[in-house]
Amino acid sequence: MTSDLLAPLDLAFWNMESDRHPMHLGALGVFTAHSPTAGAHAADLLAARAAAVPGLRMRIRDVWQPLAFGSAARENDPDFDPLHHVRLHAPTTDFHALAGKLMERPLERDRPPWEAHVLPGEDGVSFAVLFKFHHALADGLRALKLAAGVLDPLDLPERGPRAIEPPRGLLSDVRRLPGLIPQLVKGALSDVGRALDIGASLARSTFGMRPSSALTSAPSGTRRTAGVVVDIDDVHRVRKSAGGTVNDVLIAVVAGALRRWLDERGDGSEGVAPRALVPVSRRRPRSAQPQGNRLSGYLIRLPVDDPDPLRRLDTVRTAMIRNKDAGPDRGAGAVALLADHVPALGHRLGGPLVGQAARLWFDILVTSVPLPGFGLKLGGHQLAEVYPLAPLAPGQALAVAISTYRGRVHYGLVADAQAVPDLDVFARAVTAEVQTLITACRV
């Protein structure tokens, strides 16, 4: 039975979870259906294919060995049964309503931490699949790879053979030791300096304008989801006219939608500038732990209080440029990197406290999940829409995940159902804000 220790950030995600705040991410994919039985056929396919995907057979177990005391490891589950993970539901008229209820439920920790829920549509011409992956098992990129393993095979051109570096041998490694020692010392000092810089930046980020109370909530454990589709051509139209990147425009849309939503529900947007955490992947090809989370982040103030849509975009663009110039290894958004410096037992004992402290770090998560540009299918049925769903941190009411798929941007919204019973209003505000930016660019 093979196993490997969780990376520090994976271990943090595994230990900060609670029944009211499960640390799984999700994706709701909506497929066109050729017949009313398409959903049942899709469930059979998912169960049959899951057994052949090694990553889906991995469970997480505690480790109490002396050199890894308090850690956890992935290992192959000898009793793996796909039928425990793939579930077919009764037909529904509202995929998001059911997805919200399913996102509330924590994954079973004694089995491989993932699920696939097949939701047939009552109309008979569509069905949806809700994938759930624990953040300790997979980040967004890894989850995409695991999900692709159970979708229809793709006819892609094969890559050429990769050159293999010949072994250098023991003698060459020994000769390099004198030169490596100064590098190791320099790296250690750099890590200390970086940690101090992150801590100072985090302290500074707690000052200034405060978010609206609508973005914070007493934990209820309930979930609500919604989705918004935006034409990528509209986003490019704004980008070309006002400047910035596609990501800048998409984040500015969130800021404008928050303003509309807060004003409409009566909370007001005056003086509101919430801190948005924008995760940044630090994954490197051929890394030692390719399945582990390698995340940092940028922290920016969303200019919700600014009434001018183009100024909001310019503020977001300036903040993102400043973050990119500093790099993902420094600043308040890089707190996730500190997980590497915490011993395993510290993660186990302090995990719940770290989860509760998330509200001191950021007010809303705005994350981008990359998707392939080509079409995906399941059982020959085309994937038409896909909404990424991010974990919701304790004490926070709303999280936004964004993916671009086949010429359309999909906003996946996850909220505390009690704190945000009007998530559909925020969803409409996203659509309206895109049109506002387009109009502003024409003036």
Side-chain angles (χ1 to χ4, degrees):
M1 183 181 299
T2 61
S3 66
D4 63 284
L5 292 177
L6 296 187
L9 188 54
D10 297 341
L11 187 61
F13 286 136
W14 187 245
N15 285 304
M16 72 173 62
E17 179 176 67
S18 68
D19 288 342
R20 286 197 167 190
H21 286 94
M23 288 304 299
H24 55 251
L25 48 89
L28 180 67
V30 180
F31 296 80
T32 57
H34 301 157
S35 71
T37 61
H41 177 56
D44 291 341
L45 282 176
L46 291 173
R49 292 171 177 174
V53 180
L56 297 179
R57 303 177 65 94
M58 303 300 286
R59 65 183 180 186
I60 296 176
R61 63 172 178 84
D62 295 333
V63 175
W64 300 106
Q65 298 171 356
L67 296 180
F69 193 77
S71 187
R74 298 181 189 85
E75 67 177 12
N76 187 63
D77 182 359
D79 300 319
F80 175 71
D81 183 351
L83 296 180
H84 288 152
H85 302 268
V86 179
R87 297 162 191 177
L88 177 65
H89 294 259
T92 179
T93 58
D94 191 335
F95 294 138
H96 276 288
L98 183 51
K101 292 294 184 182
L102 294 171
M103 287 294 287
E104 293 178 3
R105 305 176 186 175
L107 295 165
E108 296 183 56
R109 292 172 68 92
D110 58 346
R111 290 175 174 162
W114 69 274
E115 292 173 353
H117 296 268
V118 181
L119 320 177
E122 278 194 356
D123 55 14
V125 297
S126 65
F127 67 90
V129 179
L130 173 66
F131 287 102
K132 293 168 55 178
F133 296 97
H134 198 287
H135 219 327
L137 180 70
D139 59 9
L141 291 173
R142 175 69 174 170
L144 173 62
K145 182 177 180 180
L146 291 174
V150 292
L151 297 180
D152 291 357
L154 298 170
D155 295 326
L156 298 177
E158 295 185 3
R159 294 183 178 181
R162 190 172 65 191
I164 301 176
E165 182 181 353
R168 293 172 300 184
L170 178 61
L171 182 59
S172 62
D173 289 338
V174 171
R175 287 173 178 170
R176 293 178 65 246
L177 283 177
L180 283 175
I181 293 175
Q183 295 178 26
L184 293 174
V185 173
K186 182 179 179 180
L189 293 175
S190 176
D191 286 345
V192 172
R194 181 173 61 189
L196 291 174
D197 180 74
I198 292 171
S201 298
L202 181 60
R204 289 193 297 269
S205 75
T206 61
F207 295 99
M209 292 178 284
R210 296 183 178 181
S212 165
S213 59
L215 294 179
T216 60
S217 67
S220 72
T222 60
R223 293 292 181 269
R224 188 184 302 274
T225 75
V228 182
V229 179
V230 174
D231 194 319
I232 191 63
D233 289 340
D234 289 339
V235 177
H236 282 301
R237 191 173 297 118
V238 173
R239 176 189 62 81
K240 291 176 181 178
S241 175
T245 67
V246 166
N247 203 40
D248 294 340
V249 176
L250 297 178
I251 295 173
V253 166
V254 174
L258 285 171
R259 178 181 177 82
R260 290 173 177 273
W261 174 61
L262 292 174
D263 288 342
E264 184 169 340
R265 68 180 352 223
D267 289 326
S269 57
E270 183 178 354
V272 176
R275 297 160 300 175
L277 176 65
V278 182
V280 178
S281 176
R282 299 175 68 249
R283 183 181 297 279
R284 296 179 180 179
R286 310 174 195 175
S287 62
Q289 289 183 311
Q291 73 278 28
N293 279 281
R294 302 296 299 170
L295 292 173
S296 181
Y298 297 144
L299 200 67
I300 69 171
R301 290 274 186 181
L302 294 181
V304 173
D305 58 329
D306 193 329
D308 188 298
L310 294 182
R311 275 207 311 264
R312 289 195 294 267
L313 174 55
D314 187 64
T315 299
V316 168
R317 178 181 59 196
T318 301
M320 290 298 287
I321 290 174
R322 184 168 56 249
N323 274 291
K324 291 173 184 176
D325 287 344
D329 293 344
R330 290 188 178 276
V335 168
L337 300 182
L338 300 182
D340 292 342
H341 306 285
V342 177
L345 191 58
H347 282 297
R348 182 172 295 275
L349 298 177
L353 294 177
V354 171
Q356 294 297 326
R359 71 179 73 184
L360 302 177
W361 175 21
F362 63 96
D363 305 305
I364 184 172
L365 179 72
V366 183
T367 183
S368 179
V369 181
L371 290 176
F374 45 80
L376 300 172
K377 295 181 179 181
L378 177 57
H381 304 283
Q382 184 73 49
L383 176 64
E385 304 169 18
V386 56
Y387 302 97
L389 303 172
L392 194 61
Q396 294 178 346
L398 177 65
V400 180
I402 310 169
S403 284
T404 300
Y405 174 69
R406 304 197 74 188
R408 300 198 298 174
V409 178
H410 294 76
Y411 282 83
L413 312 176
V414 177
D416 184 291
Q418 291 188 14
V420 188
D422 56 346
L423 186 60
D424 57 328
V425 177
F426 179 76
R428 290 197 298 270
V430 171
T431 301
E433 182 61 19
V434 174
Q435 295 306 312
T436 296
L437 281 168
I438 292 173
T439 301
C441 289
R442 291 172 179 164
V443 176

